[in-house]
Amino acid sequence: MSHRVTDELGSEEMDIVSVSSSRRNSENLPYVHKVGVPPKQNLLKEIAATVKETFFADDPLRHFKDQPRSRKFVLGFQAVFPIFEWGRNYSLSKFKGDLIAGLTIASLCIPQDIGYAKLANLEPQYGLYSSFVPPLVYAFMGSSRDIAIGPVAVVSLLLGSLLRDEIDSSENPVDYRRLAFTATFFAGITQFTLGFLRLGFLIDFLSHAAIVGFMAGAAITIALQQLKGLLGIKKFTKNTNIVSVMRSVWNSVHHGWNWQTILIGVAFLAFLLVAKYIGKKKKKLFWVPAIAPLISVILSTFFVYITRADKHGVQIVKHIRQGVNPPSVNEIFFSGEYLGKGFRIGVVAGMIALTEAVAIGRTFASMKDYQLDGNKEMVALGTMNIVGSMTSCYVATGSFSRSAVNYMAGCHTAVSNIVMSCVVLLTLELITPLFKYTPNAILASIIISAVIGLIDIEAVALIWKIDKFDFVACMGAFFGVVFSSVEMGLLIAVSISFAKILLQVTRPRTAILGKLPRTTVYRNILQYPDATKVPGILIVRVDSAIYFSNSNYVKERILRWLADEEEQLKENFQPRIMYLIVEMSPVTDIDTSGIHALEELFRSLEKRDVKLVLANPGPVVVDKLHASKFPELIGEDRIFLTVADAVLTCAPKMEEP
């Protein structure tokens, strides 16, 4: 009896000591703030907020708030036609800058347009048509002050390559031209639809690295295609890959090359490259490379005319139709077998043209520090190509070389495009007969000198330094274009871009965290080697949202971290892991599969006698966790605001007997 009383008293004393020690520990601990549960939102409001953030992130209707109906009409009209907004403050000083810029880019675009039309396997006048109507439409609807509109080398090559796969331009030039107009129409429809439905973010799926590789490959391909005109070869391969082109060049070396053509082409190519070098070295002489192509055309045309070099095998442009664009609405295929083909070609060409134009517009907008509405740009580009397809134009977009000259020449507004269009109009009405004796070699030289700038070695080197996967995408697109075709290069570029997205989504990064000395901050131990692990606690950070595509991987990766850590502790005879803290601040969202993965992780840890703790989940994650009653499963006291709070709370419990 006395022994029983003694035992009971002893046990009571131990309980009292235990309670007092736990109180003492809790009193010594700093205040731990609980994780707040966000207020429940109305479902319709939540959907509306998501839609607004996805499609209307820039809040385009904010200017219409609290405005009378008449003012709303004016604002709406100005939103569609920005020229009526900035035109109110237009001045003579701005016009002087735009006039000089417009005349400068006109001198550059006229010879380039003739060459680019040949690249698309169209007659020379269609290149000039495409620098007359589309720039006028864009000037009224576009929001970029610096972009210069017209045909570009890459889109011309792509369009010509895709059209040639369907129709032979030499055997059936009429249907070939009609299919080009049809493709241009659907390119415009594609661009307009993306802008109107505010789906501009879709073009961002083509990564910068893939675009750099694609552009460089296209530049090489375009330059190789110009060997036909530069060397005076009459029979030339229709394939664009480097093997076919070089074989065609080599097979014609003994009987197909023309030395007079080579002399003209190489001499003026050297002149153009020197002019470009001068303009690059001395920014004030930007007009030298801009006017050099037109000077080359004038001099070479005069030389061929007085020497009659065309009688000695030098191929010339011959005839360019005089007059403004004839209507072409009746030439577009709205039915028949070519309707589907025109739609497919138009979508591809339209997307590439859109990507190039928006990238150029954003570049110059950032340089001049003004905002560019990407979706509004798409509507403007789409409208100009739709109108262009009905006025004998093929796909036009922003040209980087011309836009750079436009910027350097001191343009202020899109009036420079109007000036350029007026000069092209005068050329079509008055000057086109003078291009009859222009040698094809000079057009080849102009195109080669223009596309060299598309090869950005510095960007490729930077991509290699920053991200090796991006470098693979860049080289994949480059070699696809050079060794196969433009379409294959484009397919590889898109495929690798999507593969990278999928890889990052399905295999998110995770990291082990340690405590930085003399702080309460926990960081990646690989990035901070002096960060120390907390005994008995494993802290893992998940650097991604947890979705169905990666939830199983995240769970297994955390368990593998735990297994590796326990094995290492066992070898060093150190205490085992009792708590696993998941740092969730980078986890922006979680779905049903992600919550199931956390539940499975909790059960797996329970079997190992390891407690699961969550730290710093965001509002979206907390809301979904409470909706699934996950906190009830692991315990409300296992979710903390910070990793430091979690460690402070868990560490004393480990010390208790």
Side-chain angles (χ1 to χ4, degrees):
M1 182 72 181
S2 61
H3 288 293
R4 189 184 302 170
V5 172
T6 306
D7 291 341
E8 287 177 359
L9 287 171
S11 63
E12 285 177 5
E13 287 175 1
M14 287 177 63
D15 289 341
I16 291 167
V17 170
S18 175
V19 169
S20 62
S21 64
S22 63
R23 282 177 180 172
R24 198 162 48 247
N25 281 332
S26 63
E27 287 171 2
N28 292 334
L29 288 175
Y31 175 69
V32 176
H33 201 289
K34 289 186 177 181
V35 175
V37 181
K40 201 70 178 175
Q41 283 189 339
N42 180 278
L43 181 60
L44 291 177
K45 287 184 178 179
E46 192 174 345
I47 293 172
T50 303
V51 170
K52 182 181 178 182
E53 193 60 35
T54 304
F55 298 104
F56 303 96
D58 56 343
D59 194 11
L61 302 177
R62 63 186 180 279
H63 301 298
F64 294 83
K65 292 176 182 177
D66 303 323
Q67 297 289 345
R69 185 174 297 179
S70 58
R71 180 60 182 161
K72 286 180 179 178
F73 175 79
V74 172
L75 290 172
F77 191 75
Q78 290 177 347
V80 177
F81 301 102
I83 191 171
F84 293 103
E85 182 181 359
W86 54 259
R88 293 178 302 169
N89 302 318
Y90 199 66
S91 62
L92 183 62
S93 61
K94 287 183 178 179
F95 178 70
K96 288 178 182 177
D98 289 335
L99 179 64
I100 294 169
L103 293 172
T104 307
I105 58 175
S107 68
L108 178 63
C109 85
I110 291 168
Q112 281 186 351
D113 290 345
I114 297 171
Y116 291 159
K118 284 184 170 292
L119 204 58
N121 302 311
L122 293 167
E123 293 174 22
Q125 64 266 20
Y126 293 105
L128 294 171
Y129 293 161
S130 302
S131 277
F132 171 47
V133 173
L136 284 176
V137 177
Y138 181 84
F140 280 83
M141 297 186 68
S143 56
S144 174
R145 304 171 194 168
D146 305 279
I147 197 168
I149 297 296
V152 297
V154 174
V155 176
S156 299
L157 174 70
L158 177 64
L159 189 67
S161 177
L162 293 172
L163 292 172
R164 192 171 53 240
D165 291 341
E166 305 299 337
I167 302 174
D168 192 321
S169 59
S170 56
E171 293 179 4
N172 193 353
V174 175
D175 281 351
Y176 182 91
R177 185 178 66 244
R178 291 185 65 188
L179 187 59
F181 296 151
T182 306
T184 302
F185 176 78
F186 284 112
I189 292 292
T190 301
Q191 294 168 340
F192 183 91
T193 304
L194 288 174
F196 184 76
L197 298 178
R198 305 190 68 81
L199 298 173
F201 58 85
L202 292 177
I203 65 170
D204 294 331
F205 281 98
L206 197 60
S207 68
H208 171 70
I211 292 172
V212 168
F214 176 77
M215 289 295 185
I220 298 291
T221 302
I222 292 166
L224 290 173
Q225 290 287 305
Q226 301 317 302
L227 292 176
K228 177 186 177 182
L230 196 69
L231 303 175
I233 301 171
K234 293 182 179 179
K235 291 184 178 180
F236 201 72
T237 180
K238 292 183 178 179
N239 296 324
T240 59
N241 65 80
I242 189 171
V243 176
S244 299
V245 171
M246 296 313 296
R247 186 186 293 120
S248 183
V249 170
W250 182 252
N251 289 340
S252 60
V253 66
H254 295 297
H255 55 82
W257 293 15
N258 181 273
W259 70 267
Q260 294 98 329
T261 302
I262 295 172
L263 182 63
I264 294 169
V266 172
F268 280 101
L269 177 60
F271 168 69
L272 291 167
L273 293 176
V274 169
K276 181 170 277 193
Y277 178 79
I278 291 170
K280 191 175 181 180
K281 283 294 179 182
K282 296 185 178 180
K283 300 297 182 184
K284 291 183 179 180
L285 298 177
F286 67 89
W287 53 270
V288 173
I291 204 170
L294 188 59
I295 292 173
S296 300
V297 168
I298 294 169
L299 292 177
S300 62
T301 302
F302 180 71
F303 175 76
V304 170
Y305 177 73
I306 62 171
T307 61
R308 293 317 303 263
D310 57 307
K311 301 288 186 182
H312 301 283
V314 175
Q315 298 175 42
I316 57 175
V317 172
K318 293 180 181 176
H319 175 70
I320 299 180
R321 185 183 179 277
Q322 194 171 2
V324 297
N325 311 28
S328 56
V329 182
N330 295 332
E331 295 194 40
I332 299 173
F333 288 113
F334 289 111
S335 61
E337 62 173 318
Y338 291 125
L339 174 62
K341 294 175 180 178
F343 174 76
R344 179 178 59 82
I345 295 169
V347 169
V348 175
M351 290 293 285
I352 293 300
L354 198 59
T355 303
E356 188 171 355
V358 172
I360 292 167
R362 286 173 178 170
T363 299
F364 289 105
S366 64
M367 290 168 70
K368 283 192 174 180
D369 193 27
Y370 65 89
Q371 292 295 319
L372 189 75
D373 188 333
N375 290 296
K376 195 181 291 185
E377 282 294 286
M378 293 174 193
V379 170
L381 292 165
T383 305
M384 79 178 191
N385 277 316
I386 292 170
V387 175
S389 69
M390 299 177 182
T391 53
S392 300
C393 305
Y394 74 95
V395 182
T397 186
S399 165
F400 188 81
S401 59
R402 273 176 258 173
S403 299
V405 170
N406 198 28
Y407 172 80
M408 295 295 293
C411 73
H412 295 284
T413 66
V415 170
S416 60
N417 274 293
I418 298 175
V419 173
M420 180 187 71
S421 294
C422 293
V423 174
V424 172
L425 172 62
L426 292 173
T427 303
L428 285 166
E429 288 285 6
L430 305 172
I431 307 174
T432 47
L434 300 178
F435 290 114
K436 179 180 178 181
Y437 290 99
T438 301
N440 288 340
I442 198 65
L443 299 178
S445 300
I446 289 169
I447 292 173
I448 290 172
S449 66
V451 299
I452 283 175
L454 296 176
I455 304 171
D456 195 341
I457 302 296
E458 291 181 4
V460 174
L462 186 63
I463 289 168
W464 166 258
K465 289 179 182 177
I466 295 173
D467 193 323
K468 301 301 184 286
F469 198 99
D470 267 356
F471 183 77
V472 171
C474 180
M475 290 296 100
F478 174 79
F479 288 119
V481 173
V482 172
F483 286 98
S484 183
S485 64
V486 178
E487 307 95 280
M488 182 56 68
L490 185 59
L491 181 63
I492 291 172
V494 172
S495 300
I496 295 178
S497 296
F498 270 103
K500 183 180 180 182
I501 293 170
L502 288 174
L503 187 63
Q504 290 177 337
V505 169
T506 58
R507 293 294 181 268
R509 295 181 187 275
T510 57
I512 298 291
L513 305 186
K515 184 173 178 290
L516 294 179
R518 298 181 298 280
T519 70
T520 57
V521 177
Y522 292 80
R523 290 291 182 266
N524 188 341
I525 59 173
L526 295 179
Q527 185 180 0
Y528 299 93
D530 56 339
T532 56
K533 297 177 184 177
V534 181
I537 300 176
L538 179 65
I539 308 167
V540 180
R541 189 183 67 212
V542 180
D543 293 335
S544 166
I546 304 176
Y547 292 128
F548 64 93
S549 58
N550 62 21
S551 57
N552 195 52
Y553 170 80
V554 169
K555 180 197 74 175
E556 291 179 354
R557 189 69 186 90
I558 291 173
L559 289 173
R560 195 159 75 251
W561 279 122
L562 178 62
D564 292 344
E565 190 69 18
E566 286 184 332
E567 188 177 332
Q568 190 176 351
L569 292 172
K570 194 173 182 181
E571 288 177 1
N572 297 328
F573 303 101
Q574 292 179 335
R576 69 178 186 85
I577 299 295
M578 295 180 65
Y579 290 91
L580 190 146
I581 301 173
V582 180
E583 218 287 61
M584 300 188 73
S585 55
V587 181
T588 55
D589 202 353
I590 191 168
D591 64 3
T592 311
S593 300
I595 292 172
H596 282 314
L598 288 180
E599 290 172 352
E600 290 172 9
L601 176 64
F602 170 73
R603 294 188 186 99
S604 297
L605 293 176
E606 258 193 333
K607 293 174 183 177
R608 303 182 187 205
D609 196 22
V610 176
K611 295 178 177 61
L612 176 63
V613 177
L614 304 183
N616 197 21
V620 175
V621 176
V622 168
D623 187 44
K624 292 183 178 181
L625 289 176
H626 277 82
S628 66
K629 298 183 179 180
F630 183 76
E632 295 178 15
L633 179 67
I634 67 168
E636 291 278 359
D637 59 340
R638 299 276 182 83
I639 302 177
F640 294 90
L641 190 63
T642 65
V643 174
D645 287 350
V647 172
L648 279 171
T649 306
C650 297
K653 293 180 180 178
M654 293 170 53
E655 296 171 3
E656 292 174 10

